[in-house]
C-alpha cells in the first residue's frame, strides 16, 4: 500500500511539473460609477462655509472634474442656508451668508444636481483643550528640535504649522525650507489599524520657531470616514491591513465623501525651544 501511494504521489507531481500554462483572456466589464464626491465641513467660526463637489478620479494623480450647476443648501431645523457656486472656482459652493454652527445641533446638507438628490446629516461635538506637546533637542550643530504630541482625550484632529522663516539664519531660504505642517489624529475606537498605527513623523526645526496650532473635534461619523481614509493611506502596511476600497460615507444618494461639523480651537506659541521646552 505504501509503494502504491508513493507511485500516485510521483505521478501527480510529474503531471503538475510537466503541465503547460494556458493563456486566458478575461472579458472584464469596467464601468465608471456616476457619482458625486462631496467635501463639506462647517464649524463654530462665523464665516462663509464651503462645500466642494467633484467627480470621482479613476486614474492616479489626476485632477478632479468639478460639478457645476448644483443647488446646495444646509438646514439646521429652523433656518435654510443657501450656497452659490464661486465664479472663479467651479465646483466650490460658498454660503450666501455668514453663519456659525453650534454644539449638539443637527445639520442637514441637501444637494440637487440634474436627476440626483443627495443628503447627509451631521452634528458638532465639543473640542477639548490642546494636549501636551513636548519639544526636545535632537541635534546640537546646528541646534534642531523635534516635537512629540500626545493623544487627545477625545476624537480630534490637531494641525501644527511651524514657521522659522523669521530667524536670522533662515531668512533667505525658500518657504519649503522654513515651514512645516504636522497633523495628529486621535480616533477612538476598536479599529486595529489605530492600535498599530505608525509612529509620528519626524519633523526637525530650530529653536525660536513659532507654532500655530489648530484643533477640531471629530464626531463619530467623521471618525469612521477618517479611519477609512487613513487605513488606505498613512496606516497601510500594518500587521492587520485592509483591502482597498472607498471610505465610509454619511451621504444618502448617488454620492460619496463626507459632511461634518467641527468645533475649532486655535492658538499660537512663539519662540519654541527658547527657555523651557515643555509646552502645554
Amino acid at each position: 500500500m505504501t509503494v502504491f501511494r508513493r507511485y500516485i504521489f510521483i505521478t501527480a507531481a510529474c503531471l503538475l511539473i510537466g503541465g503547460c500554462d494556458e493563456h486566458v483572456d478575461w472579458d472584464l466589464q469596467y464601468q465608471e460609477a456616476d457619482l458625486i464626491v462631496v467635501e463639506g465641513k462647517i464649524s463654530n467660526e462665523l464665516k462663509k462655509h464651503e462645500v466642494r463637489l467633484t467627480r470621482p478620479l479613476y486614474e492616479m494623480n489626476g485632477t478632479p472634474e468639478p460639478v457645476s450647476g448644483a443647488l446646495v443648501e444646509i438646514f439646521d431645523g429652523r433656518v435654510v442656508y443657501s450656497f452659490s457656486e464661486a465664479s472663479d472656482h467651479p465646483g466650490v459652493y460658498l454660503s450666501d451668508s455668514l453663519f456659525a454652527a453650534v454644539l449638539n445641533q443637527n445639520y442637514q446638507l441637501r444637494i440637487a444636481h440634474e436627476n440626483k438628490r443627495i443628503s447627509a446629516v451631521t452634528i458638532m461635538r465639543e473640542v477639548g483643550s490642546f494636549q501636551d506637546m513636548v519639544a526636545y533637542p535632537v541635534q546640537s550643530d546646528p541646534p534642531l528640535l523635534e516635537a512629540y504630541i500626545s493623544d487627545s482625550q477625545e476624537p480630534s484632529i490637531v494641525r501644527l504649522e511651524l514657521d522659522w522663516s523669521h530667524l536670522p539664519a533662515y531668512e533667505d531660504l525658500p518657504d519649503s525650507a522654513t515651514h512645516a505642517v504636522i497633523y495628529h489624529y486621535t480616533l477612538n475606537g476598536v479599529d486595529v489599524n489605530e492600535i498599530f498605527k505608525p509612529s509620528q513623523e519626524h519633523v526637525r526645526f530650530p529653536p525660536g520657531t513659532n507654532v500655530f496650532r489648530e484643533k477640531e473635534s471629530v464626531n463619530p461619523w467623521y471618525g469612521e470616514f477618517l479611519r477609512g481614509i487613513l487605513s488606505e493611506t498613512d496606516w497601510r502596511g500594518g500587521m492587520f491591513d485592509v483591502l482597498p476600497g472607498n471610505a465610509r460615507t454619511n451621504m444618502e444618494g448617488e454620492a460619496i465623501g463626507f459632511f461634518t461639523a467641527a468645533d475649532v480651537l486655535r492658538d499660537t506659541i512663539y519662540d519654541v525651544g527658547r527657555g523651557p521646552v515643555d509646552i502645554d
Side-chain angles (χ1 to χ4, degrees):
M1 191 67 173
T2 302
V3 175
F4 177 74
R5 287 181 178 177
R6 185 176 302 174
Y7 172 78
I8 294 297
F9 175 78
I10 294 174
T11 302
C14 291
L15 291 174
L16 291 174
I17 295 174
C20 60
D21 295 331
E22 182 180 357
H23 179 75
V24 177
D25 292 323
W26 295 94
D27 183 18
L28 299 178
Q29 299 296 324
Y30 175 74
Q31 184 176 1
E32 297 181 358
D34 184 18
L35 298 173
I36 293 178
V37 180
V38 180
E39 301 172 67
K41 180 186 293 185
I42 59 177
S43 72
N44 61 319
E45 299 170 299
L46 183 64
K47 65 178 185 179
K48 287 193 172 186
H49 296 280
E50 176 182 307
V51 174
R52 184 182 298 267
L53 305 180
T54 57
R55 296 292 184 184
L57 278 176
Y58 295 97
E59 296 180 358
M60 295 291 292
N61 303 320
T63 301
E65 176 190 350
V67 175
S68 295
L71 298 178
V72 179
E73 61 185 22
I74 290 177
F75 179 53
D76 68 359
R78 296 178 302 171
V79 181
V80 175
Y81 300 97
S82 299
F83 285 64
S84 298
E85 187 172 9
S87 58
D88 54 343
H89 290 89
V92 175
Y93 296 79
L94 301 175
S95 58
D96 295 338
S97 59
L98 307 179
F99 72 95
V102 298
L103 293 174
N104 302 316
Q105 171 70 51
N106 286 318
Y107 293 90
Q108 183 186 42
L109 172 66
R110 300 189 292 216
I111 300 169
H113 182 260
E114 297 176 349
N115 62 340
K116 293 181 174 59
R117 298 296 180 267
I118 299 163
S119 65
V121 175
T122 194
I123 191 170
M124 188 172 75
R125 300 302 190 193
E126 184 176 10
V127 68
S129 59
F130 282 103
Q131 60 261 41
D132 291 340
M133 185 183 91
V134 179
Y136 56 93
V138 293
Q139 182 176 304
S140 58
D141 187 20
L144 293 176
L145 309 172
E146 283 190 12
Y148 174 79
I149 310 164
S150 60
D151 283 342
S152 178
Q153 295 297 316
E154 74 288 334
S156 64
I157 304 172
V158 174
R159 181 183 184 273
L160 305 179
E161 181 180 346
L162 290 72
D163 177 11
W164 58 94
S165 60
H166 58 284
L167 299 177
Y170 300 92
E171 288 178 334
D172 297 328
L173 297 179
D175 287 348
S176 59
T178 58
H179 292 76
V181 176
I182 302 174
Y183 285 89
H184 183 85
Y185 297 87
T186 300
L187 304 176
N188 298 338
V190 297
D191 185 85
V192 293
N193 267 315
E194 181 181 349
I195 299 173
F196 294 97
K197 65 182 180 182
S199 59
Q200 296 181 20
E201 183 180 2
H202 296 280
V203 177
R204 296 187 173 188
F205 53 93
T209 294
N210 297 330
V211 180
F212 306 95
R213 300 194 298 180
E214 176 184 296
K215 183 178 182 181
E216 65 178 60
S217 62
V218 173
N219 63 36
W221 302 287
Y222 192 43
E224 289 294 321
F225 174 84
L226 290 174
R227 274 194 289 269
I229 292 293
L230 292 172
S231 295
E232 304 297 341
T233 54
D234 292 358
W235 293 0
R236 282 198 61 76
M239 184 178 298
F240 299 97
D241 217 336
V242 296
L243 294 174
N246 288 330
R248 294 190 181 184
T249 179
N250 60 348
M251 294 291 147
E252 294 289 339
E254 297 176 271
I256 56 176
F258 68 90
F259 169 56
T260 190
D263 191 20
V264 179
L265 185 66
R266 287 190 174 90
D267 74 355
T268 303
I269 306 171
Y270 295 98
D271 294 332
V272 172
R274 289 181 175 172
V277 296
D278 285 351
I279 306 164
D280 296 326

